């Protein structure tokens, strides 16, 4: 049986280096964790590709919020794919819905063409769609390689039953990659379907910043932790995933 791929989302250069050192198989490079991830900088990707030898899939999302984009936003997404592709992105992660919550087939197909054959993941916009099985078929028809999903719920734990059903329906036509609060215990349960090929897990931890001074009267976020701490990778959690993936 083929090895199950472990992908983790990363939001900083430090977290990327940690993920590479700890044995992660693939990175999903994003920025802006509080918004659930948006397009990272070109400079970040260029430096990263010179530092590590891991596949890097890049988030293509021009803003936070919903996944129904204007024509100009789609133009930005297309240009980001072209630029980041030239800088070494190994794949792309995006998803577009229409205003009724259906997969925007034409927009997705156009963006996939811009990827010039590099693999594309339809991200958790899938979980925001109005009909999961209709979305599944449209995403397959668009020629995405995988769907990142928490089973239509906030976490994989809550969406476990739908994830299993999606895997059974999709079979080998597309990879259903569970992600969203994923725990090592979910690997064993989902692997029973026979269709678990990849899993997405943040393996994150917050570590205090090395800053010696923090202005108590200043805040850049509703959550002060975003300024006083850095989002990094927890090696112990990674090891727990690797252990269960090797069984």
């Amino acid at each position: 049986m083929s090895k199950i791929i472990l992908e983790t989302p990363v939001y900083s250069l430090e977290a990327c280096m940690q993920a590479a050192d700890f044995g992660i198989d693939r990175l999903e490079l994003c920025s802006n964790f509080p918004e659930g991830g948006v397009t990272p900088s070109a400079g970040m990707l260029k430096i990263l590709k010179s530092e590590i030898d891991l596949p890097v899939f890049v988030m293509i999302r021009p803003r936070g919020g919903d996944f129904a984009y204007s024509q100009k936003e789609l133009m930005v997404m297309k240009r980001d794919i072209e630029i980041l592709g030239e800088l070494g992105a190994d794949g792309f992660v995006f998803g577009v819905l229409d205003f009724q919550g259906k997969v925007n087939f034409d927009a997705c197909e156009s963006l996939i063409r811009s990827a010039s054959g590099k693999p594309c993941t339809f991200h958790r916009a899938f979980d925001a769609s109005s009909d999961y099985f209709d979305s599944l078929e449209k995403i397959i028809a668009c020629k995405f390689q995988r769907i990142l999903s928490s089973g239509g719920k906030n976490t994989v734990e809550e969406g476990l039953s739908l994830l299993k059903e999606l895997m059974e329906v999709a079979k080998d036509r597309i990879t259903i990659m569970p992600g969203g609060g994923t725990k090592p215990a979910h690997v064993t349960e989902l692997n029973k379907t026979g269709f678990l090929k990849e899993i997405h897990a943040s393996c994150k931890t917050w570590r205090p910043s090395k800053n010696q001074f923090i202005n108590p009267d200043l805040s850049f976020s509703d959550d002060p932790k975003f300024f006083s701490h850095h989002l990094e990778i927890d090696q112990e959690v990674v090891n727990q995933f690797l252990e269960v993936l090797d069984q």
Side-chain angles (χ1 to χ4, degrees):
M1 187 174 70
S2 299
K3 179 184 183 296
I4 298 171
I5 298 297
L6 177 61
E7 175 187 272
T8 194
V10 282
Y11 297 85
S12 69
L13 188 59
E14 187 171 19
C16 293
M17 306 303 288
Q18 291 170 338
D21 288 342
F22 297 163
I24 296 293
D25 297 304
R26 186 174 68 224
L27 305 183
E28 180 198 62
L29 182 63
C30 316
S31 66
N32 200 343
F33 172 74
E35 288 281 8
V38 298
T39 307
S41 75
M44 167 72 93
L45 177 64
K46 186 168 184 178
I47 293 297
L48 181 58
K49 291 298 292 183
S50 71
E51 293 286 336
I52 66 170
D53 186 24
L54 272 185
V56 180
F57 283 15
V58 179
M59 172 74 76
I60 302 296
R61 189 177 176 214
R63 57 166 171 76
D66 63 49
F67 303 101
Y69 301 115
S70 69
Q71 285 303 310
K72 288 189 177 179
E73 285 175 322
L74 290 169
M75 289 172 62
V76 170
M77 295 171 74
K78 181 175 181 178
R79 190 66 182 121
D80 279 337
I81 288 173
E82 293 168 350
I83 292 170
L84 295 167
E86 291 167 0
L87 292 175
D90 297 286
F92 302 98
V93 182
F94 58 86
V96 186
L97 304 178
D98 64 22
F99 293 110
Q100 287 71 47
K102 302 284 188 181
V103 171
N104 187 329
F105 186 92
D106 291 341
C108 288
E109 196 174 47
S110 175
L111 292 173
I112 284 177
R113 284 198 300 271
S114 298
S116 300
K118 293 187 178 183
C120 297
T121 301
F122 195 99
H123 60 37
R124 289 183 63 197
F126 177 85
D127 296 318
S129 68
S130 57
D131 185 327
Y132 303 124
F133 293 97
D134 178 69
S135 295
L136 172 65
E137 298 304 328
K138 284 189 172 69
I139 291 167
I140 291 171
C142 280
K143 299 189 177 353
F144 282 89
Q145 275 70 35
R146 65 190 53 76
I147 297 172
L148 171 61
S149 174
S150 57
K153 304 292 185 181
N154 287 323
T155 66
V156 165
E157 180 69 32
E158 296 171 279
L160 208 55
S161 60
L162 179 61
L163 282 168
K164 291 179 185 177
E165 190 175 357
L166 287 165
M167 287 179 173
E168 295 287 355
V169 172
K171 298 189 184 299
D172 290 320
R173 296 184 297 153
I174 194 170
T175 296
I176 304 296
M177 181 170 62
T182 320
K183 298 178 182 177
H186 296 138
V187 174
T188 303
E189 184 66 23
L190 290 163
N191 205 20
K192 292 176 183 176
T193 65
F195 296 106
L196 182 65
K197 299 175 183 176
E198 304 179 1
I199 196 141
H200 177 98
S202 65
C203 304
K204 66 179 181 291
T205 187
W206 290 98
R207 291 201 172 91
S209 165
K210 294 179 182 178
N211 273 339
Q212 298 298 305
F213 172 75
I214 294 177
N215 184 343
D217 300 318
L218 184 66
S219 177
F220 291 97
S221 170
D222 291 338
D223 186 343
K225 183 168 62 178
F226 289 126
F227 187 75
S228 62
H229 287 66
H230 292 176
L231 188 60
E232 298 183 9
I233 303 294
D234 189 324
Q235 186 172 14
E236 183 177 344
V237 176
V238 173
N239 288 340
Q240 291 171 4
F241 272 102
L242 294 177
E243 183 177 352
V244 73
L245 290 170
D246 286 338
Q247 291 177 359

